Amino acid sequence: MRRHTWVGPIARLVGAGALVAMFLASPAHALDDSPRDPLGRAAFSALSSVYRMTVTIRVDQFADDRRVVRIGRAVTIEGTAFGVGPGIVVTARPLVRPPTVALAAAVSELDIPGVAAFDPNDVRITSSVTSIVLRRASPGPTPATTTVKATVLQTTKATAPSKLALLRIPVRDAPALALDDSTTLGTPVVLVAFGGQRDTEPALQRGALGPAGKVEGSDDANLVTVSGIGDNVGDMGGPVLDASGHVRGVVIQRAVAPGESSVMTRSSGIRQLASNANVAVGTTPAQTTFADGMRSYWERDYTAASESLTFAADRLPKDEWVAGLATRAEELASADYEVVQSAPWRLPLILGGVVALAIALMLALRFWSMEE
């Protein structure tokens, strides 16, 4: 039988080319675990500005018209806060100046004798805030936490509907988010907040803006209902973000029952309170460069991502998460990784590899049959 000596080498060559094509087209080089939709990416870019807040309040005594009970115990209240300016953080006022009923409920959980006999609506409480601790926790199974102490700079009046509080932190380079005063009905938004009492990382909730000035019990135009978000205890004080990552408002009242809407104070209320306190609000270089770095990362420009994230990490020397993102981007840039998942030529290359592999198999079978 006549031997076609060219069949074997060609089969091996075509087969090798097919394997190379399949390897290049495979997603093994892809490292794309980031959110893909605009709201998800806006929330991710805001994480470095959002804090879990723990307020410790010492309660000295309960009193009403008939009796006094000495307490001398501390209670803690959990919520969320976020940066809005150089060294300036905003949250919901009830977290740092809790109403009497809320404080009475917190004390009653301590199981102190005699407290249950008081009517929370009639009680007078002597108390003081002893500490406000902010923790910025990174996402992940073992999140690293950055802790900073805060002090109350200014709050709205107790009777004001907007219910905001400005805090000062000793980190002027800390990330801060940009504000947007508009509240167009139906705008898709996302809440970034430490909703659960034991949450170690913030959770995202998606919703939509409702009408302004239509909150039950108030016609204040700074108050806006928000559907779909804010039903957890720790959501108070969380930022409501649009797809651009701008703050549309602060959650000041959570949704108590399913189907109800939470209430936020729009960003114009933050500006007004900051003006009263004579402090500036607006995004900071650390937040801008962090957001730019994440945008470059998602666009697969790892060199630009590494530069921006390293700049942000240098201004947050204790933030292991931001530093880790900068290191990852630098490694990808150095290795010249290419994320081929979204490349337009990936599908044709896979199909070409399959066809080439089929041809290689047919040639190999023919070669083997000739050998016999």
Side-chain angles (χ1 to χ4, degrees), residues 142-344:
T142 55
T145 302
T146 302
T147 301
V148 63
K149 291 187 177 181
T151 56
V152 176
L153 178 63
Q154 188 158 339
T155 71
T156 54
K157 294 181 179 180
T159 56
S162 52
K163 294 182 174 61
L164 295 179
L166 286 181
L167 312 179
R168 188 186 296 279
I169 58 175
V171 188
R172 289 194 58 80
D173 284 339
L177 300 172
L179 306 179
D180 188 331
D181 298 342
S182 59
T183 55
T184 305
L185 181 66
T187 299
V189 291
V190 60
L191 170 67
V192 184
F194 292 87
Q197 290 290 325
R198 298 183 179 179
D199 283 359
T200 56
E201 60 181 90
L204 311 183
Q205 299 178 45
R206 300 165 192 268
L209 295 183
K214 301 294 183 180
V215 176
E216 183 178 356
S218 175
D219 58 358
D220 192 309
N222 275 330
L223 301 185
V224 181
T225 57
V226 191
S227 61
I229 68 171
D231 56 354
N232 297 313
V233 174
D235 291 338
M236 291 270 288
V240 179
L241 307 171
D242 61 19
S244 299
H246 296 160
V247 177
R248 295 298 185 95
V250 188
V251 174
I252 61 166
Q253 179 181 316
R254 69 187 185 94
V256 179
E260 290 189 359
S261 296
S262 59
V263 178
M264 76 173 196
T265 296
R266 61 194 299 181
S267 292
S268 56
I270 302 175
R271 296 186 196 276
Q272 182 60 53
L273 185 59
S275 176
N276 294 343
N278 198 29
V279 295
V281 293
T283 189
T284 57
Q287 175 61 35
T288 302
T289 53
F290 177 76
D292 289 344
M294 294 313 304
R295 190 177 303 110
S296 297
Y297 188 93
W298 292 322
E299 293 173 353
R300 287 85 178 179
D301 186 351
Y302 296 121
T303 300
S306 174
E307 293 175 354
S308 295
L309 293 174
T310 299
F311 180 91
D314 288 344
R315 278 145 184 78
L316 301 168
K318 296 183 180 180
D319 197 312
E320 298 179 14
W321 177 56
V322 176
L325 289 173
T327 300
R328 185 181 186 188
E330 183 178 4
E331 291 172 349
L332 291 174
S334 299
D336 196 24
Y337 272 140
E338 182 177 11
V339 180
V340 297
Q341 282 180 297
S342 60

